[in-house]
Amino acid sequence: MDKIVALCKRRGFIFQSSEIYGGMASVYDYGHYGVLLKSNVKAEWWRSVLQERDDMVALDAAILMHPRTWEASGHLEGFTDPLVQCLGECKKRWREDHLPPGQRTCPECGGELAEARQFNLMFETHVGPVADEGSVVYLRPETAQGVFVNFKNVLQFARKRPPFGIAQVGKAFRNEITTQSFIFRTYEFEQMEIEFFVPPAEADTWHQRWMEDRMGWYTDLGIRADHLQLRPHGVDELSHYSSATSDIEYLFPMGWSELEGIANRGDFDLTQHAKYSGEKMEFVDPGTGDRCVPHVIEPSAGADRATLAFMVDSYDEEEVEGRERVVLRLHPRLAPVKAAVLPLVNKDGQPEKARAIYEELRRRIPAEFDTGGSIGKRYRRQDEIGTPWGVTVDHQTMEDDTVTLRDRDSLEQTRIAAGDLAAELEERLHQPWSSPKLA
Ligand code: ATP
């Protein structure tokens, strides 16, 4: 993990928040390549859950919601973690469920641990000029509730019937007791959530199907299958709304940890919102007039955790011609930059020619143009940010308009007509891809 953190800082992917003031723990800012990488992760999620399906619509609900939402959803009462505080020297706080069962002493200083108390994870704030009880609102702790309260709106215009889903990406906030492991667990993060509404009798089948689909998404994008596992929750672990949940876990450097939760929420949410709002939250079959409250399967992924997993899984070090090379072997569609156009030397018209090729290429795919430093140094920089293709302009280019195309993983160099470059790379971007063997 230290290597990933260092790379993120060195290449401007992710920075500690408010660093000039000493930094704020567990809050991070994304720099240029981090923004591009995470936005590609989200784009691939949208592609697979929306563009490549017929049964999904999109939504972007607000972060602030009517406070009754959180009464109905059970979050005010039940969205808590068991907090235990060290009574010894260090006074550190721990999540009881993250400690070995029955542990009564502080893992840090060995002091006695106090009795557990339930701690609500929702961040509270106020709307309007007077901060009294009537003005309390919450920063949403999950994006899901924005979907449920809009269920009727969506049904009206979407011309869909169960099984169908509503997909959403957005920020969520949790006042976590323990924060840890870089961007794995932070106070604010982005979720990519689907609420998939199904006829009650089909809930188990859809739950199973979504587990397979979502596992496939990670492996299609290059995560090694043996670094992923599905872990069903034990009964005592289930959230207040769930009848069954399985986590997709990834083998992070700190061990197997949750990447995505896939829950069967039953009819809990729609029923609760119907009760609290007085609105009917059901599907009425226009043909038969039959009514039902659909059940909900929820694949809930974290965009930041996924970004971290893609970086960890693709990080590689190898020796090439006696020098160490660090390379992010990212799936080309996730790579922040797809191609770097580099003149071999900074003279003989090569920079101008390379610039012209780059300007043509960037209209079709994200590309960079770099003239700074030796060619080896420029390649290494691109390897570290995961750029899959290097395009080099050399003396031959000036004669026959061909360039060399260097593959990040195999280091193979081929010659190709500059005019064919964009079409070739676009084609490669959409071919099935398998993760290259890591060194
Ligand atoms: P954990 O057990 O790790 O606290 P959770 O089971 O509470 O997670 P869910 O409520 O299932 O998490 O949230 C769905 C997804 O949102 C998680 O799988 C994760 O990817 C992401 N997520 C949840 N909390 C955080 C956080 N504090 N920081 C970053 N991502 C998070």
Side-chain angles (χ1 to χ4, degrees), residues 184 215 218 223-233 237 246-252 255-262 305 309 313:
F184 177 81
M215 287 285 275
Y218 292 102
I223 296 225
R224 282 162 283 181
D226 59 347
H227 287 184
L228 284 175
Q229 69 181 19
L230 260 176
R231 188 185 65 82
H233 278 204
E237 246 186 302
S246 283
D247 287 343
I248 297 181
E249 295 188 331
Y250 174 71
L251 188 54
F252 282 101
W256 288 102
S257 312
E258 174 176 341
L259 194 51
E260 168 161 354
I262 303 169
R305 273 190 202 177
D313 214 69

Side-chain angles (χ1 to χ4, degrees), residues 48 53 204-220 228-231 246-248 260-262 297 299:
S48 89
R53 302 181 68 103
D204 289 342
T205 314
W206 278 103
H207 193 205
Q208 198 58 44
R209 206 179 283 181
W210 272 111
M211 290 192 259
E212 286 157 22
D213 272 28
R214 294 300 306 149
M215 287 285 275
W217 185 75
Y218 292 102
T219 49
D220 286 351
L228 284 175
Q229 69 181 19
L230 260 176
R231 188 185 65 82
S246 283
D247 287 343
I248 297 181
E260 168 161 354
I262 303 169
I297 306 303

Side-chain angles (χ1 to χ4, degrees), residues 95 174 176 184-186 189 191 258-259 300 302 305:
R95 250 177 80 170
R174 294 184 189 178
E176 300 277 4
F184 177 81
R185 186 184 304 285
T186 49
F189 53 95
Q191 288 188 312
E258 174 176 341
L259 194 51
S300 172
R305 273 190 202 177

Side-chain angles (χ1 to χ4, degrees), residues 38-51:
K38 185 159 79 150
S39 110
N40 291 343
V41 169
K42 291 183 284 184
E44 286 308 313
W45 184 86
W46 280 118
R47 177 209 297 280
S48 89
V49 309
L50 194 76
Q51 183 180 326

Side-chain angles (χ1 to χ4, degrees), residues 51-310:
Q51 183 180 326
E52 293 177 351
R53 302 181 68 103
D54 302 316
D55 55 5
M56 197 82 73
V57 294
L59 182 77
D60 185 2
I63 287 169
L64 298 178
M65 301 181 70
H66 194 290
R68 288 276 281 169
T69 308
W70 307 111
E71 284 176 47
S73 70
H75 281 81
L76 257 185
E77 194 150 329
F79 194 56
T80 55
D81 278 338
L83 176 152
V84 286
Q85 181 154 18
C86 169
L87 299 172
E89 228 159 75
C90 76
K91 303 280 183 281
K92 243 184 147 164
R93 298 186 179 95
W94 305 89
R95 250 177 80 170
E96 192 187 35
D97 57 329
H98 283 177
L99 297 176
Q103 172 145 354
R104 302 298 316 144
T105 52
C106 175
E108 183 101 349
C109 73
E112 191 192 339
L113 292 175
E115 279 302 308
R117 66 184 170 87
Q118 292 301 323
F119 174 80
N120 196 298
L121 301 181
M122 283 201 292
F123 278 107
E124 201 178 291
T125 185
H126 295 267
V127 285
V130 185
D132 60 15
E133 218 170 86
S135 66
V136 171
V137 291
Y138 301 92
L139 302 186
R140 65 180 177 196
E142 60 175 25
T143 63
Q145 296 305 321
V147 171
F148 297 129
V149 300
N150 276 296
F151 177 69
K152 282 184 73 169
N153 288 337
V154 174
L155 258 192
Q156 249 169 35
F157 84 88
R159 293 160 58 225
K160 297 267 186 249
R161 54 183 301 149
F164 84 98
I166 303 178
Q168 166 162 240
V169 174
K171 281 245 161 140
F173 302 80
R174 294 184 189 178
N175 196 359
E176 300 277 4
I177 295 171
T178 49
T179 50
Q180 68 197 78
S181 308
F182 197 32
I183 56 168
F184 177 81
R185 186 184 304 285
T186 49
Y187 294 119
E188 63 171 284
F189 53 95
E190 267 186 295
Q191 288 188 312
M192 309 185 288
E193 289 198 306
I194 299 162
E195 308 307 322
F196 202 77
F197 300 92
V198 302
E202 296 174 22
D204 289 342
T205 314
W206 278 103
H207 193 205
Q208 198 58 44
R209 206 179 283 181
W210 272 111
M211 290 192 259
E212 286 157 22
D213 272 28
R214 294 300 306 149
M215 287 285 275
W217 185 75
Y218 292 102
T219 49
D220 286 351
L221 287 172
I223 296 225
R224 282 162 283 181
D226 59 347
H227 287 184
L228 284 175
Q229 69 181 19
L230 260 176
R231 188 185 65 82
H233 278 204
V235 182
D236 54 335
E237 246 186 302
L238 290 173
S239 312
H240 60 274
Y241 50 74
S242 170
S243 60
T245 297
S246 283
D247 287 343
I248 297 181
E249 295 188 331
Y250 174 71
L251 188 54
F252 282 101
M254 66 280 186
W256 288 102
S257 312
E258 174 176 341
L259 194 51
E260 168 161 354
I262 303 169
N264 180 348
R265 294 179 81 126
D267 63 0
F268 177 83
D269 301 274
L270 291 181
T271 306
Q272 284 293 102
H273 285 301
K275 197 160 111 193
Y276 278 72
S277 68
E279 297 276 347
K280 285 209 164 73
M281 305 290 257
E282 55 188 17
F283 173 72
V284 185
D285 190 311
T288 62
D290 287 348
R291 298 168 177 273
C292 87
V293 179
H295 283 202
V296 173
I297 306 303
E298 177 194 68
S300 172
D304 311 85
R305 273 190 202 177
T307 301
L308 181 59
F310 285 122

